[in-house]
Amino acid sequence: MVDHAIGHYQVLLTFHDKEGKMAKAKEVLLILLPSALLFADVGKLTFVSGNVEVDQGRGWQKANLGAVLREKDKVRTGQRSSAIVQLRTGAALKLKSNSSIDLAQVGDATTIEVGAGSVFSSVSLRNAGQSFRIRAQTMVAAVRGTQFFVAYGKKQKEKSDLWLCVNEGVVHVSDTATKSEVDVRAGEGIIIPTDRQIPKPRAYAWTKKLNWNMDASKGDVEDRTDIQSAYQDLQRMNYD
Protein backbone atom coordinates (compact mmCIF):
# COMPACT_ATOMS: atom_id res chain seq x y z
CA MET A 1 0.00 0.00 0.00
CA VAL A 2 1.30 3.46 -0.97
CA ASP A 3 -0.26 6.53 0.67
CA HIS A 4 0.81 9.75 -1.12
CA ALA A 5 -0.62 13.27 -0.57
CA ILE A 6 -0.49 15.96 -3.29
CA GLY A 7 -1.89 19.42 -2.51
CA HIS A 8 -5.39 18.92 -1.11
CA TYR A 9 -5.70 15.44 -2.61
CA GLN A 10 -4.81 12.11 -1.04
CA VAL A 11 -4.18 9.17 -3.34
CA LEU A 12 -4.31 5.62 -2.01
CA LEU A 13 -2.84 2.84 -4.12
CA THR A 14 -3.38 -0.78 -3.04
CA PHE A 15 -2.17 -3.83 -4.93
CA HIS A 16 -1.01 -7.39 -4.46
CA ASP A 17 1.50 -8.55 -6.99
CA LYS A 18 4.99 -9.90 -7.42
CA GLU A 19 7.89 -8.32 -5.61
CA GLY A 20 9.36 -5.32 -7.44
CA LYS A 21 6.15 -3.91 -8.90
CA MET A 22 5.45 -1.67 -5.92
CA ALA A 23 8.46 0.58 -6.64
CA LYS A 24 7.47 0.90 -10.28
CA ALA A 25 3.89 1.84 -9.44
CA LYS A 26 5.03 4.45 -6.93
CA GLU A 27 7.26 6.08 -9.53
CA VAL A 28 4.37 6.44 -11.98
CA LEU A 29 2.17 7.93 -9.24
CA LEU A 30 4.72 10.61 -8.36
CA ILE A 31 5.29 11.63 -11.96
CA LEU A 32 1.78 11.69 -13.40
CA LEU A 33 -0.37 13.14 -10.64
CA PRO A 34 1.50 16.46 -10.18
CA SER A 35 1.39 16.98 -13.94
CA ALA A 36 -2.37 16.46 -14.05
CA LEU A 37 -2.95 18.95 -11.24
CA LEU A 38 -0.54 21.54 -12.64
CA PHE A 39 -2.24 21.67 -16.03
CA ALA A 40 -5.87 21.66 -14.89
CA ASP A 41 -8.15 23.91 -16.97
CA VAL A 42 -9.11 27.18 -15.26
CA GLY A 43 -11.13 28.81 -18.05
CA LYS A 44 -11.53 29.44 -21.76
CA LEU A 45 -11.89 32.16 -24.40
CA THR A 46 -15.60 32.84 -24.99
CA PHE A 47 -15.09 35.76 -27.40
CA VAL A 48 -12.30 36.48 -29.87
CA SER A 49 -12.08 39.39 -32.30
CA GLY A 50 -9.03 40.22 -34.38
CA ASN A 51 -5.57 39.12 -33.31
CA VAL A 52 -5.64 37.29 -29.96
CA GLU A 53 -2.69 35.23 -28.69
CA VAL A 54 -1.98 32.94 -25.74
CA ASP A 55 1.36 32.03 -24.18
CA GLN A 56 1.27 28.70 -22.31
CA GLY A 57 4.99 28.62 -21.66
CA ARG A 58 6.00 27.86 -25.26
CA GLY A 59 5.81 31.35 -26.73
CA TRP A 60 2.90 33.33 -28.16
CA GLN A 61 0.45 31.35 -30.32
CA LYS A 62 -2.68 32.46 -32.14
CA ALA A 63 -5.78 31.66 -30.08
CA ASN A 64 -9.20 30.68 -31.36
CA LEU A 65 -12.66 30.85 -29.83
CA GLY A 66 -13.06 28.20 -27.14
CA ALA A 67 -9.32 27.89 -26.44
CA VAL A 68 -8.74 26.28 -23.04
CA LEU A 69 -6.67 28.24 -20.53
CA ARG A 70 -4.62 27.11 -17.55
CA GLU A 71 -3.15 28.83 -14.53
CA LYS A 72 -0.16 31.06 -15.38
CA ASP A 73 -1.20 31.33 -19.03
CA LYS A 74 -0.87 34.78 -20.61
CA VAL A 75 -3.38 36.33 -23.01
CA ARG A 76 -2.87 39.38 -25.21
CA THR A 77 -4.76 41.28 -27.90
CA GLY A 78 -3.41 43.19 -30.88
CA GLN A 79 -4.50 46.36 -32.63
CA ARG A 80 -8.31 46.59 -33.09
CA SER A 81 -8.73 43.27 -31.27
CA SER A 82 -10.52 42.07 -28.15
CA ALA A 83 -11.14 38.92 -26.13
CA ILE A 84 -13.23 37.63 -23.24
CA VAL A 85 -11.89 35.07 -20.77
CA GLN A 86 -14.43 33.11 -18.72
CA LEU A 87 -12.93 31.55 -15.60
CA ARG A 88 -14.26 28.45 -13.86
CA THR A 89 -14.52 30.51 -10.67
CA GLY A 90 -17.37 32.50 -12.26
CA ALA A 91 -15.30 35.61 -12.99
CA ALA A 92 -14.95 37.03 -16.51
CA LEU A 93 -12.30 39.30 -18.04
CA LYS A 94 -12.68 41.42 -21.20
CA LEU A 95 -9.49 42.67 -22.86
CA LYS A 96 -9.59 45.66 -25.16
CA SER A 97 -7.04 46.29 -27.95
CA ASN A 98 -3.33 46.10 -27.13
CA SER A 99 -3.96 44.57 -23.72
CA SER A 100 -2.35 41.70 -21.84
CA ILE A 101 -3.08 39.68 -18.73
CA ASP A 102 -1.37 36.90 -16.78
CA LEU A 103 -3.56 34.29 -15.05
CA ALA A 104 -1.10 34.25 -12.17
CA GLN A 105 -3.36 32.36 -9.75
CA VAL A 106 -6.88 31.03 -10.32
CA GLY A 107 -8.98 29.31 -7.68
CA ASP A 108 -10.43 30.24 -4.29
CA ALA A 109 -7.74 32.95 -4.23
CA THR A 110 -7.47 34.47 -7.72
CA THR A 111 -4.86 37.02 -8.82
CA ILE A 112 -4.81 38.44 -12.35
CA GLU A 113 -1.89 40.61 -13.44
CA VAL A 114 -2.63 43.27 -16.06
CA GLY A 115 0.50 44.04 -18.05
CA ALA A 116 -0.87 46.53 -20.58
CA GLY A 117 -3.99 48.10 -22.02
CA SER A 118 -7.50 48.03 -20.60
CA VAL A 119 -9.40 45.20 -18.90
CA PHE A 120 -12.97 44.83 -17.66
CA SER A 121 -13.61 42.43 -14.77
CA SER A 122 -16.92 40.88 -13.73
CA VAL A 123 -16.65 38.97 -10.46
CA SER A 124 -19.32 36.92 -8.72
CA LEU A 125 -17.68 34.99 -5.90
CA ARG A 126 -19.70 31.98 -4.81
CA ASN A 127 -18.13 31.11 -1.46
CA ALA A 128 -17.24 33.19 1.59
CA GLY A 129 -13.60 32.10 1.42
CA GLN A 130 -13.00 33.21 -2.17
CA SER A 131 -11.04 36.31 -3.14
CA PHE A 132 -10.25 38.11 -6.41
CA ARG A 133 -7.47 40.62 -7.03
CA ILE A 134 -6.25 42.57 -10.04
CA ARG A 135 -2.64 43.77 -10.03
CA ALA A 136 -1.17 46.46 -12.28
CA GLN A 137 2.27 47.91 -11.53
CA THR A 138 2.15 48.67 -7.78
CA MET A 139 -1.66 48.83 -7.61
CA VAL A 140 -3.80 46.03 -6.16
CA ALA A 141 -7.61 46.02 -6.57
CA ALA A 142 -9.41 43.55 -4.29
CA VAL A 143 -13.11 42.65 -4.59
CA ARG A 144 -15.74 40.14 -3.52
CA GLY A 145 -18.39 40.71 -6.16
CA THR A 146 -18.44 43.56 -8.62
CA GLN A 147 -17.84 44.91 -12.12
CA PHE A 148 -14.88 47.22 -12.61
CA PHE A 149 -12.47 48.51 -15.25
CA VAL A 150 -8.69 49.00 -15.10
CA ALA A 151 -6.66 50.82 -17.75
CA TYR A 152 -3.12 52.04 -18.28
CA GLY A 153 -2.98 55.76 -19.03
CA LYS A 154 -0.19 58.13 -19.99
CA LYS A 155 3.33 56.93 -19.29
CA GLN A 156 5.33 59.04 -16.86
CA LYS A 157 9.02 58.07 -16.75
CA GLU A 158 9.19 54.34 -15.85
CA LYS A 159 5.52 53.90 -14.95
CA SER A 160 2.09 54.84 -16.27
CA ASP A 161 -0.97 56.46 -14.76
CA LEU A 162 -3.63 53.92 -13.87
CA TRP A 163 -7.38 54.44 -14.20
CA LEU A 164 -9.97 52.39 -12.32
CA CYS A 165 -13.75 52.76 -12.24
CA VAL A 166 -16.55 50.68 -10.76
CA ASN A 167 -19.91 49.77 -12.27
CA GLU A 168 -21.25 47.56 -9.47
CA GLY A 169 -20.17 46.83 -5.90
CA VAL A 170 -17.09 48.16 -4.13
CA VAL A 171 -13.39 47.79 -5.01
CA HIS A 172 -10.68 48.27 -2.39
CA VAL A 173 -7.63 49.79 -4.10
CA SER A 174 -4.17 50.00 -2.57
CA ASP A 175 -0.82 51.20 -3.89
CA THR A 176 2.27 49.59 -2.41
CA ALA A 177 4.53 52.39 -3.69
CA THR A 178 2.75 55.25 -1.88
CA LYS A 179 1.20 53.16 0.94
CA SER A 180 -2.21 54.66 0.17
CA GLU A 181 -5.62 52.97 -0.16
CA VAL A 182 -9.24 53.81 -0.89
CA ASP A 183 -12.63 52.20 -1.49
CA VAL A 184 -14.16 52.93 -4.90
CA ARG A 185 -17.93 52.47 -5.13
CA ALA A 186 -20.38 52.02 -8.00
CA GLY A 187 -20.41 55.04 -10.29
CA GLU A 188 -17.02 56.25 -9.08
CA GLY A 189 -13.55 56.25 -10.60
CA ILE A 190 -9.98 57.17 -9.74
CA ILE A 191 -6.77 58.04 -11.53
CA ILE A 192 -3.62 56.85 -9.78
CA PRO A 193 -0.66 59.09 -10.70
CA THR A 194 2.75 57.45 -10.86
CA ASP A 195 4.26 59.25 -7.87
CA ARG A 196 1.37 60.49 -5.70
CA GLN A 197 -1.12 58.95 -3.31
CA ILE A 198 -4.45 57.60 -4.55
CA PRO A 199 -6.88 60.55 -4.80
CA LYS A 200 -10.48 60.70 -3.66
CA PRO A 201 -12.87 58.80 -5.98
CA ARG A 202 -15.00 60.91 -8.34
CA ALA A 203 -18.06 60.36 -10.52
CA TYR A 204 -16.25 60.87 -13.83
CA ALA A 205 -18.45 61.62 -16.84
CA TRP A 206 -16.38 59.59 -19.32
CA THR A 207 -17.04 56.30 -17.49
CA LYS A 208 -20.73 56.43 -18.45
CA LYS A 209 -19.79 55.50 -22.03
CA LEU A 210 -18.07 52.22 -21.12
CA ASN A 211 -19.61 49.01 -22.47
CA TRP A 212 -19.86 46.60 -19.52
CA ASN A 213 -21.45 43.71 -21.43
CA MET A 214 -19.37 40.50 -21.13
CA ASP A 215 -21.77 38.13 -22.91
CA ALA A 216 -21.80 38.21 -26.72
CA SER A 217 -25.15 36.36 -26.78
CA LYS A 218 -26.73 39.41 -25.12
CA GLY A 219 -25.46 41.99 -27.59
CA ASP A 220 -22.39 43.99 -28.55
CA VAL A 221 -19.40 43.43 -26.24
CA GLU A 222 -16.95 45.76 -27.98
CA ASP A 223 -15.98 48.83 -25.94
CA ARG A 224 -15.14 51.79 -28.16
CA THR A 225 -14.06 54.33 -25.57
CA ASP A 226 -10.55 55.75 -25.74
CA ILE A 227 -8.60 56.26 -22.51
CA GLN A 228 -7.56 59.65 -23.90
CA SER A 229 -11.18 60.73 -23.39
CA ALA A 230 -10.57 60.33 -19.66
CA TYR A 231 -7.86 63.00 -19.78
CA GLN A 232 -10.06 65.24 -21.93
CA ASP A 233 -12.77 64.81 -19.32
CA LEU A 234 -10.37 66.04 -16.63
CA GLN A 235 -9.65 69.18 -18.67
CA ARG A 236 -13.31 69.93 -19.42
CA MET A 237 -14.78 69.29 -15.98
CA ASN A 238 -13.94 70.69 -12.56
CA TYR A 239 -13.88 67.70 -10.18
CA ASP A 240 -12.24 69.52 -7.26
Side-chain angles (χ1 to χ4, degrees):
M1 178 180 293
V2 177
D3 190 351
H4 184 69
I6 302 174
H8 295 293
Y9 301 87
Q10 187 175 50
V11 181
L12 187 65
L13 177 64
T14 305
F15 55 87
H16 301 279
D17 214 324
K18 296 180 181 180
E19 183 179 357
K21 290 206 173 176
M22 179 177 289
K24 184 176 180 180
K26 181 178 180 181
E27 181 182 2
V28 172
L29 182 69
L30 292 175
I31 293 174
L32 295 184
L33 285 178
S35 177
L37 292 174
L38 179 63
F39 295 107
D41 300 348
V42 299
K44 65 179 181 179
L45 288 172
T46 57
F47 179 82
V48 170
S49 176
N51 183 30
V52 179
E53 297 179 315
V54 174
D55 183 355
Q56 296 184 317
R58 301 182 299 275
W60 292 103
Q61 305 290 331
K62 182 176 176 58
N64 297 315
L65 182 66
V68 172
L69 301 172
R70 302 177 177 89
E71 192 172 69
K72 301 190 185 306
D73 282 359
K74 298 177 177 63
V75 182
R76 72 180 182 186
T77 56
Q79 189 74 19
R80 295 186 295 277
S81 304
S82 58
I84 295 178
V85 175
Q86 181 67 53
L87 299 177
R88 288 188 180 275
T89 60
L93 303 156
K94 179 167 70 175
L95 287 71
K96 293 185 59 174
S97 296
N98 300 316
S99 301
S100 67
I101 61 171
D102 183 339
L103 305 179
Q105 182 179 2
V106 181
D108 285 342
T110 296
T111 299
I112 307 298
E113 297 180 357
V114 179
S118 307
V119 177
F120 290 84
S121 299
S122 178
V123 185
S124 179
L125 301 182
R126 300 162 181 169
N127 302 318
Q130 288 184 306
S131 65
F132 183 95
R133 297 189 301 175
I134 288 280
R135 288 182 178 173
Q137 296 182 148
T138 56
M139 183 212 73
V140 179
V143 305
R144 277 206 49 77
T146 184
Q147 284 186 330
F148 68 107
F149 172 77
V150 173
Y152 280 79
K154 293 180 179 179
K155 190 165 185 177
Q156 310 285 349
K157 297 180 180 179
E158 299 299 319
K159 295 173 60 180
S160 299
D161 293 337
L162 289 173
W163 287 89
L164 181 143
C165 61
V166 179
N167 188 47
E168 295 178 1
V170 180
V171 177
H172 181 76
V173 182
S174 59
D175 186 1
T176 58
T178 60
K179 308 299 181 184
S180 57
E181 55 187 302
V182 70
D183 286 334
V184 185
R185 291 172 168 77
E188 296 180 337
I190 55 174
I191 176 175
I192 307 175
T194 58
D195 57 354
R196 297 196 301 275
Q197 290 195 333
I198 302 174
K200 180 181 177 180
R202 310 286 187 185
Y204 291 117
W206 72 272
T207 63
K208 296 179 181 179
K209 298 179 181 180
L210 293 169
N211 182 355
W212 295 95
N213 183 29
M214 308 278 270
D215 186 347
S217 68
K218 295 181 180 180
D220 184 20
V221 298
E222 300 278 4
D223 180 78
R224 296 173 178 81
T225 58
D226 186 339
I227 199 62
Q228 295 305 316
S229 64
Y231 290 97
Q232 294 168 5
D233 185 31
L234 287 178
Q235 294 174 351
R236 288 195 306 267
M237 309 290 289
N238 181 11
Y239 289 104
D240 295 328

